[in-house]
Amino acid sequence: MSRQSPFGHPFLLGFDEIEQALDRVAKAAGDGYPPYNIERLARTAQDPERLRITLAVAGFTREQLEVTLEENQLVIRGRQSDDKTRHFLHRGIAARQFQRAFLLVDGMEVLGADLSNGLLSIDLARPEPERIIRKIDIVAPDKAKA
């Protein structure tokens, strides 16, 4: 059984990239670790409206975390390794790895990242949409050539 695309309507031209992005996001949404919040920060006199992604990364050091921008994807990776010199009587906190990706709209700017109290916060600036109106000339076929 094939899946019907919501972007297959003839009035929706050039939306195939959005469909591919939605497929990518659906595949990446399976793992719930690490938990995260996304909040909207209101515009101030100094700053535009921003978004803040906060991930709970308790136990990770700054060196074990990596934040990259790959095309339009914000990718956060965490890598911990087992310390073989330690002997645990009970181990409830596992050393683990993760990768969490967020698809960003064109023009979204990553302002920076901060790690404090086990929370990794990444601030993003939302692009201000430009309202563009352009008049398209309608030309008539040249009747002099007939």
Side-chain angles (χ1 to χ4, degrees):
M1 182 166 123
S2 66
R3 181 178 66 115
Q4 182 68 26
S5 169
F7 298 102
H9 194 278
F11 292 144
L12 299 174
L13 302 175
F15 285 89
D16 50 326
E17 289 182 19
I18 294 174
E19 184 175 17
Q20 292 169 0
L22 289 173
D23 286 342
R24 256 193 334 239
V25 168
K27 289 177 187 172
D31 186 18
Y33 182 79
Y36 64 92
N37 292 335
I38 301 175
E39 64 182 303
R40 178 176 292 137
L41 303 174
R43 179 186 325 263
T44 65
Q46 298 85 12
D47 296 315
E49 180 181 68
R50 294 170 292 143
L51 297 177
R52 177 172 290 156
I53 300 171
T54 304
L55 290 92
V57 293
F60 285 86
T61 64
R62 198 174 311 273
E63 293 76 27
Q64 294 169 328
L65 295 168
E66 178 182 63
V67 180
T68 58
L69 189 58
E70 302 170 10
E71 294 182 15
N72 281 1
Q73 273 197 349
L74 177 67
V75 180
I76 300 105
R77 293 181 182 91
R79 293 185 180 88
Q80 287 179 326
S81 57
D82 282 331
D83 185 356
K84 303 294 183 194
T85 63
R86 299 172 74 183
H87 176 74
F88 293 96
L89 299 178
H90 170 76
R91 179 114 190 223
I93 304 171
R96 63 191 297 186
Q97 299 181 20
F98 72 86
Q99 177 173 311
R100 172 78 64 188
F102 298 90
L103 190 61
L104 305 180
V105 70
D106 284 336
M108 176 119 1
E109 183 182 346
V110 179
L111 299 176
D114 175 60
L115 180 63
S116 178
N117 298 323
L119 297 174
L120 175 65
S121 297
I122 302 164
D123 285 354
L124 309 167
R126 296 184 72 153
E128 292 290 327
E130 289 184 40
R131 184 163 182 194
I132 300 172
I133 299 174
R134 192 178 102 201
K135 182 173 170 54
I136 308 299
D137 291 330
I138 301 172
V139 294
D142 189 7
K143 296 189 182 201
K145 293 181 183 177

